């Protein structure tokens, strides 16, 4: 390390770069290694190399000398270092790097060599232009082949390769602006369904877009995720529980998926984790149920009358150490009322002591949560005020509404929903005197 700066100060870098045009393979190899050693771990020197046009030269060398294992490795190490720099992406995009890397990847048998190419592909695939070039060069088909070969394997190397291929596939598919995105997603899903456990991260990431979610549900991924969850109810594998619930939550976002997932028994599968004491699992469980019941009145009523669920929600509404769990519990409590519009659900929530949490939720710092609480409270006032009256009084609902309407910082929709609630209260006759 102490010799690097003297080499740079002596002006060795420019003549070494010139030597990369040499035809002697041994000279090329030693030149590349020398440049790599001098510029190792220095973004400043690596940027200088990029500005001197070293990327197109190295890509050309890779194509010419692809039969020379040592030279190929030297080029890959250089690409791996340079590709991390944002300034390199533009130069790479103007070369045929995608074609050369995919060609090289197809020939590899050894796990270590594939891993080296993966390390170059990952940062390059973050660039939209290069991403498209990689897809057109056939990288997705290569990755699918890896998935199909390794999906049922228990070997450590195969599992690592499957994980790397899945992560890279996520980079290529998310956005999916090319024609074959749907076809490729479906092909992967067929493999994924064989061993959903190994593919959980991919399943969760891929389910972030509506189109992919719909394809995944239509192709049987939900049953596989439920089977997987079922195997992990007792053993408490939090990583699997969290990832599977995360995937189910995302899958439940598109409207067309909700009824299908409810019919498949997803709500019942998720409820098995109510006894979990792990906040990450609790958070995803709550989010999954909230997504499932959105505009699904029957499901919302069924869940809202589940005393075990409602009591657990009320308990989690007080989980001050875990803001995410507390927030999601409040939102699900409100959602059960808003989507069911059921007197039975309101009675269950009153019986479980949930009213005070809905009133507190109306003072949340998040406008969306305030609105959800006010709408739920208006439904309570309109449908079942006699049952909830005492709890509403104890929670000082009227004073809170007065505060919301008096506060200049309250959003217009908060004031509107506060007035709707007041009208519901007055209309019932119970609060007319206040």
């Amino acid at each position: 390390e102490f010799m690097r700066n003297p080499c740079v100060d002596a002006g060795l870098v420019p003549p070494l770069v010139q030597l990369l045009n040499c035809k002697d393979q041994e000279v090329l190899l030693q030149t590349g290694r020398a440049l790599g050693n001098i510029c190792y771990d220095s973004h400043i020197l690596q940027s200088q190399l990029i500005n001197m046009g070293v990327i197109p030269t190295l890509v050309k060398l890779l194509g010419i000398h692809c039969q020379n294992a040592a030279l190929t490795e030297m080029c890959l190490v250089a690409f791996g270092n340079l590709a991390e720099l944002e300034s390199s992406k533009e130069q790479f995009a103007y070369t045929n790097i995608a074609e050369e890397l995919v060609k090289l990847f197809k020939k590899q048998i050894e796990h270590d060599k594939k891993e080296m190419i993966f390390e170059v592909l990952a940062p390059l695939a973050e660039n939209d232009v290069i991403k498209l070039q990689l897809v057109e060069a056939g990288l997705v088909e290569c990755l699918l082949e890896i998935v199909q070969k390794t999906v049922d394997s228990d070997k450590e190397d195969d599992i690592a390769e499957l994980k790397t291929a899945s992560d890279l596939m996520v980079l290529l598919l998310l956005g999916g602006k090319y024609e074959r995105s749907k076809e490729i997603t479906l092909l992967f899903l067929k493999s994924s369904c064989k061993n959903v456990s190994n593919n959980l991260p991919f399943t969760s990431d891929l389910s972030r877009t509506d189109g992919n979610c719909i394809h995944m549900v239509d192709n049987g991924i939900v049953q596989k995720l439920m089977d997987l969850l079922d195997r992990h109810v007792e053993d408490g594998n939090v990583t699997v529980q969290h990832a599977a619930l995360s995937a189910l939550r995302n899958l439940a976002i598109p409207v067309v998926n909700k009824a299908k997932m409810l019919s498949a028994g997803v709500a019942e599968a998720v409820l098995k984790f109510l006894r979990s004491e792990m906040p990450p699992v609790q958070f995803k469980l709550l989010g999954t149920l909230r997504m499932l019941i959105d505009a699904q009145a029957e499901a919302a009523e069924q869940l809202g009358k589940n005393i075990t669920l409602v009591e657990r929600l009320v308990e989690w509404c007080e989980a001050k150490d875990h803001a995410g769990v507390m927030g999601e519990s409040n939102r699900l409590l409100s959602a059960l009322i808003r989507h069911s519009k059921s007197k039975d659900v309101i009675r269950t929530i009153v019986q479980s002591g949930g009213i005070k949490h809905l009133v507190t939720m109306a003072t949340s710092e998040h406008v969306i949560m305030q609105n959800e609480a006010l709408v739920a409270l208006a439904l309570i006032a309109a449908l079942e005020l006699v049952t909830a009256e005492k709890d509403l009084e104890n929670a000082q609902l009227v004073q809170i509404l007065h505060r919301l309407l008096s506060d200049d910082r309250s959003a217009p929709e908060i004031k509107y929903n506060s007035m709707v609630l007041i009208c519901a209260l007055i209309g019932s006759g119970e609060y007319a005197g206040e």
Side-chain angles (χ1 to χ4, degrees):
E1 189 177 345
F2 73 93
M3 283 301 295
R4 285 177 196 151
N5 283 335
C7 285
V8 175
D9 295 340
L12 273 172
V13 174
L16 283 171
V17 170
Q18 283 302 311
L19 276 175
L20 288 175
N21 296 305
C22 175
K23 288 186 169 54
D24 187 314
Q25 293 186 28
E26 188 58 29
V27 172
L28 286 171
L29 179 62
Q30 300 309 333
T31 301
R33 286 175 174 170
L35 281 169
N37 288 341
I38 292 171
C39 300
Y40 177 75
D41 211 23
S42 169
H43 284 175
I44 295 170
L45 290 174
Q46 288 168 2
S47 294
Q48 284 179 22
L49 280 183
I50 291 166
N51 293 335
M52 293 168 82
V54 77
I55 286 174
T57 306
L58 286 172
V59 173
K60 192 177 173 183
L61 286 179
L62 182 65
I64 295 170
H65 302 291
C66 57
Q67 302 303 323
N68 184 323
L71 261 178
T72 298
E73 192 169 316
M74 181 271 288
C75 288
L76 288 172
V77 170
F79 293 149
N81 289 326
L82 297 174
E84 296 291 341
L85 296 178
E86 203 51 46
S87 57
S88 73
K89 305 286 202 303
E90 194 174 331
Q91 280 202 28
F92 274 119
Y94 283 102
T95 70
N96 63 337
I97 184 71
E99 192 183 322
E100 294 297 348
L101 287 175
V102 173
K103 198 191 305 177
L104 190 63
F105 191 82
K106 285 177 180 175
K107 293 193 298 186
Q108 298 309 316
I109 298 169
E110 294 175 40
H111 173 76
D112 292 347
K113 295 285 168 59
K114 284 183 183 176
E115 199 61 41
M116 282 187 77
I117 303 172
F118 273 137
E119 284 174 14
V120 180
L121 288 168
L124 289 179
E126 291 170 3
N127 178 277
D128 285 344
V129 176
I130 302 172
K131 180 191 291 190
L132 195 56
Q133 291 171 354
L134 288 168
V135 171
E136 287 170 349
L139 179 58
V140 175
E141 285 76 5
C142 292
L143 297 175
L144 279 168
E145 204 174 309
I146 288 173
V147 169
Q148 286 157 355
K149 283 180 181 173
T150 58
V151 74
D152 294 318
S153 175
D154 294 324
K155 291 181 185 173
E156 202 171 308
D157 280 356
D158 286 346
I159 291 170
E161 203 168 295
L162 176 66
K163 171 75 170 67
T164 309
S166 299
D167 289 345
L168 190 48
M169 189 98 70
V170 169
L171 278 175
L172 295 174
L173 286 180
L174 284 181
K177 293 177 184 174
Y178 44 90
E179 289 177 6
R180 299 192 58 207
S181 176
K182 179 178 174 182
E183 175 197 343
I184 292 162
T185 303
L186 295 180
L187 276 171
F188 184 84
L189 284 175
K190 286 174 185 173
S191 300
S192 180
C193 283
K194 288 181 187 174
N195 195 335
V196 73
S197 181
N198 281 348
N199 287 297
L200 266 177
F202 180 89
T203 306
S204 185
D205 282 331
L206 193 58
S207 63
R208 284 184 291 179
T209 61
D210 279 9
N212 287 339
C213 285
I214 294 163
H215 304 324
M216 292 171 93
V217 170
D218 288 344
N219 282 271
I221 200 75
V222 169
Q223 190 56 53
K224 297 292 178 183
L225 286 166
M226 289 198 301
D227 291 344
L228 179 66
L229 273 175
D230 209 41
R231 295 199 298 274
H232 290 275
V233 173
E234 299 301 332
D235 73 358
N237 188 325
V238 177
T239 304
V240 174
Q241 292 172 0
H242 180 267
L245 287 168
S246 180
L248 285 171
R249 180 203 174 278
N250 292 346
L251 291 169
I253 294 171
V255 177
V256 295
N257 282 356
K258 297 180 193 296
K260 293 174 187 174
M261 291 176 70
L262 286 165
S263 298
V266 171
E268 291 78 7
V270 169
L271 286 172
K272 291 176 185 175
F273 294 90
L274 269 181
R275 58 179 179 268
S276 172
E277 295 301 330
M278 303 305 294
V281 174
Q282 295 167 354
F283 182 73
K284 289 300 179 184
L285 175 157
L286 292 164
T288 305
L289 291 176
R290 187 165 62 81
M291 288 300 157
L292 279 172
I293 65 166
D294 188 11
Q296 305 295 311
E298 191 180 329
E301 182 166 10
Q302 191 178 342
L303 287 172
K305 291 190 292 188
N306 182 328
I307 192 79
T308 307
L309 168 63
V310 175
E311 285 179 349
R312 193 70 158 138
L313 290 182
V314 171
E315 181 187 332
W316 287 339
C317 281
E318 296 173 0
K320 291 184 172 59
D321 292 339
H322 303 289
V325 173
M326 189 167 70
E328 276 292 342
S329 298
N330 278 292
R331 294 190 74 185
L332 182 53
L333 210 57
S334 160
L336 291 169
I337 295 171
R338 288 183 296 109
H339 297 303
S340 71
K341 298 180 178 61
S342 161
K343 291 185 175 187
D344 288 337
V345 170
I346 294 169
R347 289 189 200 109
T348 305
I349 289 171
V350 171
Q351 180 188 336
S352 304
I355 296 298
K356 64 182 178 183
H357 296 298
L358 290 171
V359 176
T360 303
M361 185 182 168
T363 64
S364 167
E365 60 187 16
H366 304 292
V367 173
I368 190 167
M369 287 180 67
Q370 281 186 289
N371 275 323
E372 288 172 358
L374 289 167
V375 171
L377 290 165
L379 284 165
I380 291 169
L383 296 171
E384 196 63 28
L385 185 57
V386 175
T387 308
E389 181 184 5
K390 191 174 178 184
D391 287 353
L392 291 171
E393 283 180 9
N394 290 340
Q396 299 190 312
L397 173 64
V398 172
Q399 292 88 327
I400 284 169
L401 288 172
H402 184 271
R403 205 158 64 234
L404 289 173
L405 287 169
S406 307
D407 193 342
D408 293 336
R409 293 167 299 177
S410 290
E413 59 268 40
I414 297 300
K415 293 193 174 185
Y416 173 81
N417 282 323
S418 296
M419 288 187 281
V420 169
L421 174 51
I422 289 168
C423 289
L425 291 169
I426 293 172
S428 71
E430 304 293 328
Y431 277 74
E434 296 190 41

